[in-house]
Amino acid sequence: MRRSMMAFLICFLAFCCCPTSAQNPAPVTGKPAVDKKMNGLMVYGDDFLFSVKEPGNWDSDIDKVARYYYSNIIFIPENKLSRAAHVNIRIRVNHKETIDPSEDMQTDMRGYKAKYPKVNFSDLAVSHPTYKICAKLFYIENDFYEYVVYVDPGPNVTKNFSVVMSKDSTPATPDEIKAFKEILESLFWFPVIIQK
């Protein structure tokens, strides 16, 4: 009985969290329905659970590549030309040091200035529909461009997100900015009960 209840719960969660072609029919494009992206990916660890949307034409990884970049999930363009431009979008869950994302940003900016004295900073026009954020572009022209956002999922949460898009040599394209915004705006924190 217990095993069948567990199987039922897994099937129920899969049905609710992962759209099927009956719930979300694929657009008529001549492509098979299996090419359609899911509405949200669930990413979890020992003390966190969040969902995020994988944009069209991007792949995600939570294993070797994400770990290499010290991230919980990384997004890489499917297009080989975009991959050759060394662009990626990373999300990392951090222990919250402050309740104000702008304080985290100031600390990060000081660290970058110490490491890269020629670094420039500018405001970044992005938002989240619910959470408080602070966003900046860190860059050295013709060298690197880092689109950095700190996201606070709420006062009762002891973690925050850093969402970063890195691009070598040139600023992000409009399509890359669109994917970055889509990922950022889709972030959703789930409360986690830690049993001891």
Side-chain angles (χ1 to χ4, degrees):
M1 179 68 177
R2 192 171 183 172
R3 192 175 274 168
S4 63
M5 182 57 113
M6 185 62 113
F8 170 77
L9 284 173
I10 289 170
C11 291
F12 177 76
L13 286 173
F15 177 77
C16 291
C17 296
C18 301
T20 65
S21 56
Q23 292 171 307
N24 254 335
V28 180
T29 60
K31 289 186 175 183
V34 293
D35 281 353
K36 184 160 175 18
K37 298 281 186 179
M38 292 187 298
N39 282 339
L41 303 171
M42 302 299 287
V43 182
Y44 63 91
D46 289 338
D47 54 357
F48 68 85
L49 173 64
F50 68 89
S51 66
V52 63
K53 183 174 182 181
E54 182 180 86
N57 302 318
W58 288 70
D59 292 323
S60 59
D61 179 86
I62 58 169
D63 195 22
K64 290 180 184 175
V65 180
R67 283 197 309 266
Y68 177 81
Y69 285 96
Y70 302 100
S71 301
N72 299 106
I73 188 168
I74 187 169
F75 299 89
I76 301 166
E78 290 174 352
N79 184 312
K80 289 184 181 178
L81 290 175
S82 293
R83 286 180 191 242
H86 302 287
V87 60
N88 64 63
I89 301 169
R90 305 178 306 278
I91 300 173
R92 185 173 67 202
V93 175
N94 309 296
H95 181 72
K96 191 186 291 184
E97 299 293 330
T98 71
I99 57 169
D100 186 355
S102 63
E103 289 180 32
D104 293 322
M105 185 65 73
Q106 290 300 320
T107 300
D108 210 9
M109 290 167 69
R110 283 191 296 273
Y112 259 75
K113 198 66 170 172
K115 189 171 182 180
Y116 306 102
K118 294 182 179 180
V119 72
N120 299 291
F121 305 104
S122 65
D123 290 334
L124 189 54
V126 295
S127 63
H128 189 279
T130 309
Y131 305 143
K132 186 176 179 181
I133 71 164
C134 185
K136 293 280 183 188
L137 170 60
F138 298 24
Y139 67 99
I140 296 177
E141 280 192 53
N142 304 315
D143 188 0
F144 70 82
Y145 296 80
E146 295 272 327
Y147 300 78
V148 180
V149 183
Y150 285 102
V151 183
D152 181 357
N156 298 325
V157 180
T158 61
K159 307 285 185 186
N160 64 17
F161 297 107
S162 57
V163 183
V164 179
M165 177 166 58
S166 297
K167 177 109 187 249
D168 287 351
S169 305
T170 60
T173 66
D175 283 344
E176 291 162 350
I177 293 289
K178 180 181 175 197
F180 182 67
K181 287 180 175 180
E182 191 175 325
I183 287 167
L184 174 64
E185 292 169 6
S186 73
L187 270 179
F188 183 80
W189 180 268
F190 288 92
V192 177
I193 299 170
I194 303 170
Q195 296 182 356
K196 301 201 178 198

